Amino acid sequence: MKSYKEIEKKHSPEEIAESLVFPGPKDPAKRGEMLSVLRQVRKQQKESQSEESKLISQLLQLKFLIEDYLKADSFNKNFYFGYFLKEYITRLEKKNRQFAQEIDVDPTELSQIINKHRKPTEKIIYRLEIHSNRNFPAIMWFKILEKERAYELLHDKSIVNNERGHVKQQLKFSLT
Amino acid sequence: MIRNTKGMEIAQFEVKLKEVFTNSYLMAVIEPMTLADFKVVKKSREQFDKFNWNQYRQKEVYKLRLKEDDIILGLMCLIDHTDEATDAIEIELLEVSSENIGKEKRLDCIGGCLIAFACRESFKRGHEGCVFLVPKSSLLDHYPAKYGFQYIPVKSDRRPNGFMILFEPGARKLIKMYLDAA
């Protein structure tokens, strides 16, 4: 492994800072001292943090959690559309009724969506994009719904089978 | 697969790197290191010659590689300080591959993408974008200039012992600069 002096011979400080972070102090006392100051700084920063900054952090957390959930292969039954919608409303510190008014939706319909008793309509999804100033775009909400639906179709055969009676003709061969 | 504190998988994350000579962009991914990756890094002494990454096998380490191949271009070790008082992500170690450091580098933004990824993880885990690292004293001016870190000195009877820190606005800025374009 190269020593810092060797690295300095080859690269300028700008280049080093751009590309490397070195390990901090190994001495527990020195590290403890540093972390103690860090906690004080963090406390002061939290005390002076604006409400807007707190809200931005809360919403970014939700957005990134959704993005990563959508990219992940696995399905989590707790992360359904209504769960993320409720999280969005809660982080804005709004009541369901107030939020329903803001997007011109019947409070009962909103409550049914949150509690998984009803699927959201397209217009609600478009209004969520507008309400969030495009920070939570419609496509993101559609993808949550799509992931949810794919899981339901895989695990509940009755969803398709219930429609069997309505199909009068069907192909007689399989493509695979 | 590494899971975060919410029990969610940490997915492969896409970023864009700038190819210096052609001025074009290449797709890359940041993902958790596997044990096999540590063996590869150990063998790639010319690319990763600054630190002994094998010592970090049990820690939360990420690699950055081009989407099209498995060649590792950057490594980063994070510590998640979940206690309420610290409530931050620490970048314990970061290394860009040798051929991508300095004037002759082929690809740009590897370090920036990794640091911005740490900022994103900080928001995601509820640390409000707070990220810190411990600087070498000769680099005190350069982390703020390049990445917007704020230096906090620690008065000590020992050698200087400060740290570099980013809060919500600075972390957002890095995410916008290095990750949102992907």
Side-chain angles (χ1 to χ4, degrees), chain A residues 4 18 20 31 53 68, chain B residues 90 105 124 138 143 147 168:
Chain A
Y4 188 66
E18 187 183 324
L20 300 169
R31 182 160 170 84
S53 169
D68 283 7
Chain B
E90 176 179 1
K105 67 183 163 195
K124 214 176 79 185
S138 59
Y143 289 113
Y147 297 120
E168 177 265 312

Side-chain angles (χ1 to χ4, degrees), chain A residues 1-4 7-8 10-27 29-43 45-46 49-50 52-54 56-58 60-76 79 83-84 91, chain B residues 4 6 8-9 11-13 48-52 56 79 81 83-88 90-96 100-103 105 108 111 120-121 123-128 130 132-134 136 138-139 142-143 146-147 152-156 158-163 165 167-168 172 175:
Chain A
M1 298 301 111
K2 279 188 176 167
S3 68
Y4 188 66
I7 298 168
E8 263 184 323
K10 198 173 172 193
H11 298 293
S12 69
E14 290 89 344
E15 290 167 356
I16 298 172
E18 187 183 324
S19 311
L20 300 169
V21 172
F22 294 80
K26 291 274 182 282
D27 173 10
K30 208 171 174 185
R31 182 160 170 84
E33 197 173 30
M34 183 206 76
L35 287 173
S36 164
V37 175
L38 190 135
R39 289 182 193 116
Q40 286 169 31
V41 171
R42 189 79 174 100
K43 190 174 174 228
Q45 181 265 337
K46 280 185 181 183
Q49 192 180 10
S50 70
E52 189 186 66
S53 169
K54 284 180 201 167
I56 286 170
S57 296
Q58 290 255 312
L60 274 179
Q61 181 189 29
L62 179 62
K63 184 176 171 141
F64 295 153
L65 285 171
I66 295 175
E67 282 177 0
D68 283 7
Y69 175 60
L70 290 174
K71 275 184 217 154
D73 295 331
S74 62
F75 177 84
N76 184 330
F79 298 140
Y83 167 80
F84 288 123
R91 285 159 198 252
Chain B
N4 70 11
K6 303 281 175 196
M8 286 181 166
E9 288 174 8
Q12 199 182 63
F13 192 83
F48 294 97
D49 56 356
K50 317 288 188 302
F51 309 120
N52 179 3
Y56 296 83
I79 300 176
H81 292 266
D83 61 289
E84 204 182 334
T86 315
D87 193 12
E90 176 179 1
I91 301 176
E92 192 183 9
L93 202 65
L94 187 149
E95 183 174 0
V96 171
N100 291 304
I101 304 177
K103 290 174 190 74
K105 67 183 163 195
D108 198 11
R120 188 181 183 275
E121 283 300 308
F123 279 114
K124 214 176 79 185
R125 299 177 196 199
H127 303 313
E128 301 173 321
C130 188
F132 72 95
L133 59 89
V134 182
K136 285 273 178 199
S138 59
L139 304 176
H142 304 292
Y143 289 113
K146 181 69 191 174
Y147 297 120
I152 309 288
V154 175
K155 285 175 191 155
S156 168
R158 300 180 185 91
R159 290 171 62 198
N161 183 24
F163 55 90
I165 196 160
F167 296 116
E168 177 265 312
R172 264 172 74 202
I175 291 171

